[in-house]
């Protein structure tokens, strides 16, 4: 069971937090909850902050998805 869970985690992709900027309010809850600091808030050309995932660091725990208020309305 433990190994099965590890394999499922390894095989899944890093999360996509949003496809469109309108689906992110820039609250940074995802960046705050990330246990390995794989998420950082990056300012766009209009001065709004959006999260960016470093896929090299991400451990695919999906805590960022669970905490996002726009994904859990
Ligand atoms: S899946 Fe986990 S490790 Fe990856 S960015 Fe989200 S919170 Fe961080
Ligand atoms: S938690 Fe959701 S709404 Fe907040 S910054 Fe992250 S992706 Fe955007």
């Amino acid at each position: 069971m433990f190994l099965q869970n590890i394999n499922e985690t390894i095989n899944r992709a890093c999360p996509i937090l949003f496809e469109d900027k309108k689906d992110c309010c820039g609250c940074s809850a995802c960046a705050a909850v990330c246990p390995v600091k794989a998420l950082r808030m990056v300012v766009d050309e209009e001065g709004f902050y959006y999260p960016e995932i470093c896929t090299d660091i991400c451990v695919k725990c999906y805590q960022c998805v669970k905490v996002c208020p726009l994904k859990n309305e």
Side-chain angles (χ1 to χ4, degrees), residues 28-67:
S28 79
C30 51
V33 80
C34 179
V36 294
K37 305 293 180 215
L39 274 164
R40 66 186 184 118
M41 300 302 287
V42 178
V43 68
D44 74 358
E45 63 283 353
E46 294 179 313
F48 294 103
Y49 282 86
Y50 294 96
E52 188 175 272
I53 296 179
C54 177
T55 55
D56 290 341
I57 301 173
C58 175
V59 294
K60 305 164 189 173
C61 67
Y62 278 58
Q63 290 298 315
C64 51
V65 175
K66 289 179 192 159
V67 79

Side-chain angles (χ1 to χ4, degrees), residues 14-25:
C14 290
I16 296 171
L17 287 167
F18 55 91
E19 299 279 0
D20 194 300
K21 286 180 176 176
K22 71 174 173 46
D23 297 322
C24 173
C25 66

